[in-house]
Amino acid sequence: MEGVWKKLADNIPLSALIAILLDEENLEFEILYSNYFLSKRNGYAYEKVEGKKLREVFPPFYQGNLIVPSKMLEAIKKQESLSYTNWVYVDDIAGAVILDFTLVPLDQQRVAIITKNSNQLDEPEIKVAKQEKEHSRKAIYTSSWLCNEFGEYQFAPTYKDFFGLEFESESNILNEVLEKVDSNFRERLVFFRNQKMPLTQFEMVYRYHHPHKGDIWVREQMIDSWNGTGRISTVQDVSEKINEEVNIKGTNNFFTKLLKTSPDIIYIYNLLEGKNEYSSKFIFEEIGYSPKEVVALGDSFLPSIIHEEDWQMVLDHHSSTLPNLVDEEVAELCYRCIHKNTGASIWLLSIESVFERTKDGRVSKIFGIARNVSVEKEAEIMLLESRDQLQKANDFLQKVVKTSPAVTFIFDPGTCQIQFISENILGYSGYSSNELIKTNENAIRMVVEEDDWELMDDFMQNKLKQLDENQFEKLVFRIRNKDTGKISWFDSKMTIFEEFPGKRSNLIIGVAMDISKEVKSKRIAEEANQELQQFVYSVSHDLRAPVRHIESYAMLIKEEGENKFSKNGQKWLERIIYSARRQASMIDQLLNFSRNRHARLNKADLDVESLIHVIQENTERQYANYPIEWEISRLPSAHVDEALFTQVWENLISNAVKYSIKKDLIKIRIFSQERGEELIFGIQDNGVGFEMEFSEKLFNLFQRFHDNKEFPGHGIGLANVKRIIELHGGQVWAEGEVNVGASFFISIPK
């Protein structure tokens, strides 16, 4: 699901993050992913916030009792979306902003949070403010205060500078500011501040007699906290904007202009007649109707613009909710409208309150503010769809796990507690998956064969702790059934469990396959092979003495009766001695090959380059009459058994020279390279070569492709090389071309 979440977050022009609930009691979240707009739209310096606690990124989120934890936890539990408003202080320039939050649960722990500024300086204003600050001019554009349910105030650091006052105590700050508010606005401001208007944002613009700047115009916005127990206020200097756009002739003209410049649709709706009596000019920008058209259409306006799927909801709202509103109450409704010109669906969020009543107290007219929330709504829909996709993927994974013959598990190596294990563990261990998950004991030791406990402990403490992302570790272990005592062998592969893409956890996820049949077959094969090796050793050992006797007696006959034999007799005697010696050499090599099968490795760091030079000198003495050109690259040290590794290179170098002896100049090249966690050594000659179709047969015992008279040998050397390298955990292979040469390669772990 990483692709769905990231695509969503990166393609909406809103601040968006995805977080996981860590602590229900303290409502502690950890941010798993955030997009670019988190900084751009909310004024934060650009930095990655993944992995941080939500408390670090939005500290005021947890202050002033602005949210009710129980309601948020209830929304997550019910998997329902939740909208709320909060106040965040940014910096000396951007001041404080009011943020609209939309929380969408993705599952029982993860939530997506989308934020949108209710009030904030636009980018040109912020740019001007920053430029003025750089020129040492005091540019304080916004500030704020917050009051909790106990009447305790918290003021932003810029509050004193904004109003140009040196307050004697924080308890008297608001009164000192009020004294310098123009008397025409003072009474209304006091009334405005004392009103309780939950879940709705209100604002007022008033003139303030600034001690240093003269008269300035201040826009103050207030909003009650989400649970109605506190209040947030932000103030903004709007003098420049008002002076440029409005010719202030009086309070009435000012408020009229202010309504016209609001980016939201402001309207007055006659509830009794079912028609709009007033609409601000922004209705044209949002749905394509001019204010005059809206009034002219009368009671046919709403039926013509409301989406058919939302029409009944709007009717119910008008017939049930709005008529029962009390004066200080507001009602919200989110619905779709159809744009007059484009036919596109536009999501509007209307916030409405009572504007006028009849003499008998019935609600007659409604004052409303409608905002285009299409982007937010589409983002919410996309998040809900992603949650559905996640659920489908999870259901599919559950089916795969249930039908797979492998045992799938997730566990904590620190506590040895199993977080998840597939149900088929019951047949192997006698324990159900629920028993192993719920137990407080060491669940690993409950199922793993006792003789493998130490192996498992070492694996968890050393191997698993060193795992990096995308790395896997293998382990073969046994499970004993507590009821039948049957032991099953398992080959497992484990890696770090990512609770979220890119989010590392302390858990390990793994898959284990039952290899009991393979282990049994391998054991039978090993026993058969061991018997064969013992037979080869026994036969070779028993043949050794007779062959030496033949050679010894033939030598005695030759020495004592040399003149008694004809030339043919002497020739036959020489052949007997040669054959006996060759047979004795073959038996020695066969015995050596058999011993290497069970050799114990005494590994140590070996200077391979020095070893090669020693073998080079011995080879040059052996082939003193043949010109040899050597090319030996710088070779790394290797962690190997020195005696066995010496046999490898003696065989490889001897073969390279032997099969190149017919060349005018023998050329031998020895080189190396690193590949991942392996060291690769190679030797190349310019000898007779071979057909590539026979490359694998070269390493078979007694395999030869040339007559013994042409190139003497027994066909054991390369088989011995392969066995020694495999004992080291490596591989051997060869490449060649007839009459061009051959290359032999060996790889061993670093």
Side-chain angles (χ1 to χ4, degrees):
M1 298 306 297
E2 178 182 11
V4 176
W5 292 333
K6 292 185 69 177
K7 182 178 179 181
L8 170 65
D10 292 339
N11 286 277
I12 58 174
L14 299 169
S15 303
L17 60 86
I18 298 173
I20 184 170
L21 180 62
L22 300 178
D23 183 354
E24 290 187 2
E25 182 177 352
N26 298 309
L27 204 63
E28 187 67 81
F29 289 85
E30 179 177 339
I31 297 176
L32 301 176
Y33 181 79
S34 64
N35 70 350
Y36 166 73
F37 286 94
L38 186 68
S39 58
K40 182 176 185 297
R41 297 293 290 270
N42 295 336
Y44 288 91
Y46 182 71
E47 62 174 337
K48 290 185 177 179
V49 297
E50 289 88 342
K52 291 186 177 180
K53 301 295 187 296
L54 189 60
R55 189 182 300 276
E56 299 175 40
V57 179
F58 296 117
F61 183 87
Y62 295 87
Q63 299 174 6
N65 296 312
L66 300 183
I67 58 174
V68 178
S70 61
K71 289 199 173 185
M72 183 172 290
L73 294 174
E74 182 181 358
I76 296 174
K77 182 178 180 181
K78 292 182 177 181
Q79 296 291 284
E80 296 177 347
S81 300
L82 178 68
S83 297
Y84 54 96
T85 304
N86 209 348
W87 168 84
V88 178
Y89 179 74
V90 181
D91 56 29
D92 290 348
I93 290 179
V97 295
I98 295 175
L99 299 182
D100 293 328
F101 287 75
T102 299
L103 180 145
V104 180
L106 300 179
D107 56 29
Q108 292 299 325
Q109 285 188 299
R110 298 173 180 80
V111 297
I113 301 176
I114 305 173
T115 66
K116 180 180 179 182
N117 291 9
S118 292
N119 80 301
Q120 186 180 13
L121 290 177
D122 56 29
E123 289 187 8
E125 289 175 316
I126 294 177
K127 184 177 181 181
V128 170
K130 289 183 177 179
Q131 289 175 346
E132 290 184 357
K133 187 171 183 180
E134 290 174 359
H135 290 85
S136 300
R137 294 172 57 187
K138 203 70 173 181
I140 306 299
Y141 279 76
T142 64
S143 191
S144 51
W145 57 261
L146 176 140
C147 178
N148 65 16
E149 61 182 312
F150 304 107
E152 299 170 339
Y153 285 83
Q154 178 181 348
F155 293 88
T158 57
Y159 203 80
K160 296 179 182 180
D161 293 332
F162 182 92
F163 288 102
L165 297 175
E166 293 293 331
F167 304 109
E168 296 180 2
S169 65
E170 287 196 350
S171 62
N172 201 39
I173 287 179
L174 293 181
N175 290 332
E176 290 188 43
V177 170
L178 198 60
E179 289 177 2
K180 291 190 176 292
V181 173
D182 191 292
S183 59
N184 292 320
F185 300 90
R186 191 177 302 151
E187 183 177 348
R188 181 172 175 79
L189 179 60
V190 172
F191 175 80
F192 179 62
R193 287 179 175 174
N194 290 334
Q195 292 301 302
K196 294 183 178 179
M197 302 172 181
L199 290 176
T200 305
Q201 178 180 332
F202 289 86
E203 69 178 48
M204 176 181 175
V205 178
Y206 55 88
R207 184 187 289 111
Y208 175 79
H209 304 305
H210 198 283
H212 309 301
K213 299 180 181 180
D215 287 354
I216 63 171
W217 285 96
V218 177
R219 178 169 65 190
E220 182 161 348
Q221 295 177 296
M222 295 187 197
I223 183 169
D224 280 15
S225 63
W226 183 57
N227 61 355
T229 59
R231 171 157 294 176
I232 310 164
S233 169
T234 64
V235 291
Q236 182 179 3
D237 186 342
V238 294
S239 303
E240 183 177 349
K241 182 179 292 187
I242 292 177
N243 291 334
E244 289 177 355
E245 297 180 359
V246 182
N247 181 16
I248 302 178
K249 297 180 180 180
T251 304
N252 291 336
N253 290 337
F254 166 71
F255 280 107
T256 300
K257 192 67 176 179
L258 189 63
L259 288 175
K260 290 182 179 180
T261 58
S262 172
D264 297 321
I265 301 172
I266 300 174
Y267 58 91
I268 297 175
Y269 179 73
N270 190 317
L271 187 62
L272 300 180
E273 299 180 10
K275 63 181 182 180
N276 280 55
E277 294 187 349
Y278 169 81
S279 294
S280 61
K281 67 178 185 179
F282 283 96
I283 196 170
F284 177 77
E285 295 184 12
E286 298 297 352
I287 58 176
Y289 290 87
S290 69
K292 290 183 179 181
E293 287 181 291
V294 173
V295 174
L297 286 170
D299 59 4
S300 65
F301 171 66
L302 282 183
S304 65
I305 68 164
I306 301 298
H307 194 285
E308 60 180 6
E309 294 180 4
D310 295 343
W311 175 241
Q312 188 59 49
M313 177 180 64
V314 173
L315 286 180
D316 293 342
H317 181 70
H318 284 193
S319 61
S320 301
T321 304
L322 296 182
N324 296 310
L325 282 178
V326 298
D327 288 345
E328 295 182 356
E329 188 179 5
V330 296
E332 293 186 6
L333 184 67
C334 192
Y335 53 94
R336 287 167 290 180
C337 290
I338 306 301
H339 196 282
K340 175 186 176 183
N341 301 321
T342 66
S345 294
I346 309 297
W347 282 95
L348 293 181
L349 174 63
S350 288
I351 302 175
E352 300 169 316
S353 61
V354 177
F355 183 74
E356 189 177 290
R357 292 182 180 272
T358 61
K359 291 182 179 180
D360 59 1
R362 289 183 300 151
V363 177
S364 59
K365 295 182 181 180
I366 295 294
F367 175 82
I369 300 175
R371 174 173 294 180
N372 187 336
V373 293
S374 299
V375 174
E376 295 93 324
K377 196 66 179 179
E378 290 170 5
E380 179 182 343
I381 293 171
M382 289 180 67
L383 283 171
L384 290 173
E385 289 177 350
S386 70
R387 185 181 68 182
D388 292 339
Q389 293 178 19
L390 176 63
Q391 185 61 47
K392 290 178 181 178
N394 184 62
D395 293 342
F396 173 75
L397 181 60
Q398 290 292 337
K399 291 180 181 178
V400 171
V401 170
K402 286 182 179 180
T403 57
S404 172
V407 176
T408 306
F409 53 89
I410 300 174
F411 72 97
D412 186 337
T415 63
C416 294
Q417 298 297 301
I418 294 175
Q419 308 295 321
F420 169 83
I421 192 164
S422 53
E423 296 175 359
N424 56 352
I425 188 64
L426 175 64
Y428 295 110
S429 68
Y431 292 100
S432 68
S433 56
N434 286 334
E435 286 181 290
L436 294 173
I437 292 172
K438 294 179 180 180
T439 182
N440 293 322
E441 300 179 23
N442 187 322
I444 304 297
R445 292 194 172 185
M446 288 174 63
V447 295
V448 174
E449 166 65 12
E450 185 175 354
D451 290 344
D452 291 344
W453 286 0
E454 185 176 348
L455 171 70
M456 183 65 76
D457 290 344
D458 179 70
F459 180 76
M460 290 191 294
Q461 294 300 319
N462 297 315
K463 294 286 186 181
L464 294 183
K465 286 187 176 181
Q466 298 174 6
L467 274 181
D468 293 328
E469 293 180 8
N470 301 320
Q471 280 190 330
F472 294 85
E473 282 290 348
K474 291 184 177 182
L475 179 68
V476 175
F477 60 91
R478 291 167 292 177
I479 289 180
R480 178 185 290 274
N481 190 299
K482 71 179 179 67
D483 299 322
T484 65
K486 179 182 177 181
I487 291 180
S488 301
W489 284 84
F490 283 88
D491 185 5
S492 65
K493 194 173 185 180
M494 307 181 208
T495 187
I496 297 169
F497 176 65
E498 292 186 354
E499 295 182 276
F500 188 79
K503 174 63 179 176
R504 181 186 176 115
S505 72
N506 294 324
L507 302 179
I508 296 296
I509 184 170
V511 176
M513 289 294 297
D514 181 6
I515 59 169
S516 301
K517 291 182 179 178
E518 290 86 342
V519 170
K520 183 177 180 181
S521 298
K522 184 178 179 181
R523 185 175 295 163
I524 293 172
E526 286 179 348
E527 290 174 355
N529 188 51
Q530 186 175 5
E531 290 177 2
L532 178 61
Q533 292 294 332
Q534 290 174 350
F535 174 75
V536 170
Y537 181 84
S538 177
V539 170
S540 300
H541 189 273
D542 292 344
L543 288 174
R544 197 175 190 186
V547 170
R548 288 187 175 177
H549 290 162
I550 292 172
E551 179 187 359
S552 299
Y553 286 122
M555 289 293 296
L556 289 173
I557 293 172
K558 180 182 178 182
E559 291 174 2
E560 294 182 3
E562 184 174 1
N563 298 325
K564 297 179 181 179
F565 293 98
S566 64
K567 290 183 178 181
N568 285 337
Q570 293 179 3
K571 183 178 179 181
W572 294 334
L573 192 60
E574 288 289 345
R575 287 183 179 179
I576 292 173
I577 295 172
Y578 170 77
S579 297
R581 288 176 177 174
R582 187 171 184 277
Q583 189 68 28
S585 175
M586 182 181 293
I587 291 172
D588 287 340
Q589 290 193 37
L590 192 59
L591 284 171
N592 189 44
F593 178 79
S594 179
R595 293 190 192 100
N596 286 340
R597 176 70 176 83
H598 304 284
R600 288 189 177 182
L601 298 181
N602 296 313
K603 288 186 177 182
D605 290 336
L606 176 64
D607 186 345
V608 178
E609 190 172 338
S610 297
L611 171 65
I612 297 299
H613 285 301
V614 171
I615 299 174
Q616 174 193 357
E617 292 176 3
N618 295 336
T619 304
E620 288 177 341
R621 284 194 294 269
Q622 183 180 353
Y623 293 91
N625 297 326
Y626 299 92
I628 304 175
E629 180 183 288
W630 299 86
E631 181 184 341
I632 302 175
S633 303
R634 293 296 301 272
L635 303 174
S637 296
H639 194 66
V640 294
D641 184 300
E642 181 176 356
L644 295 179
F645 210 60
T646 300
Q647 289 185 43
V648 168
W649 280 107
E650 285 176 345
N651 274 293
L652 292 176
I653 293 176
S654 174
N655 279 356
V657 174
K658 179 172 65 176
Y659 288 101
S660 304
I661 204 167
K662 293 184 179 182
K663 296 289 185 178
D664 294 334
L665 176 63
I666 299 172
K667 295 183 178 181
I668 305 298
R669 176 173 171 258
I670 299 175
F671 53 92
S672 69
Q673 69 179 76
E674 294 187 19
R675 184 176 64 188
E677 296 300 316
E678 291 182 320
L679 287 177
I680 298 176
F681 295 94
I683 179 168
Q684 184 180 51
D685 62 54
N686 63 334
V688 295
F690 57 86
E691 297 283 357
M692 280 300 294
E693 61 181 297
F694 303 121
S695 61
E696 293 185 5
K697 294 183 179 180
L698 291 172
F699 299 96
N700 292 343
L701 192 62
F702 301 127
Q703 185 68 62
R704 290 181 54 78
F705 297 98
H706 300 279
D707 187 85
N708 192 61
K709 293 180 180 180
E710 185 180 12
F711 297 107
H714 307 298
I716 299 176
L718 289 179
N720 211 22
V721 168
K722 180 181 180 183
R723 174 160 290 183
I724 292 172
I725 295 304
E726 288 179 346
L727 279 173
H728 283 79
Q731 293 179 315
V732 297
W733 66 96
E735 298 172 0
E737 185 177 350
V738 176
N739 295 325
V740 175
S743 298
F744 288 83
F745 301 89
I746 61 174
S747 70
I748 58 173
K750 289 184 179 178

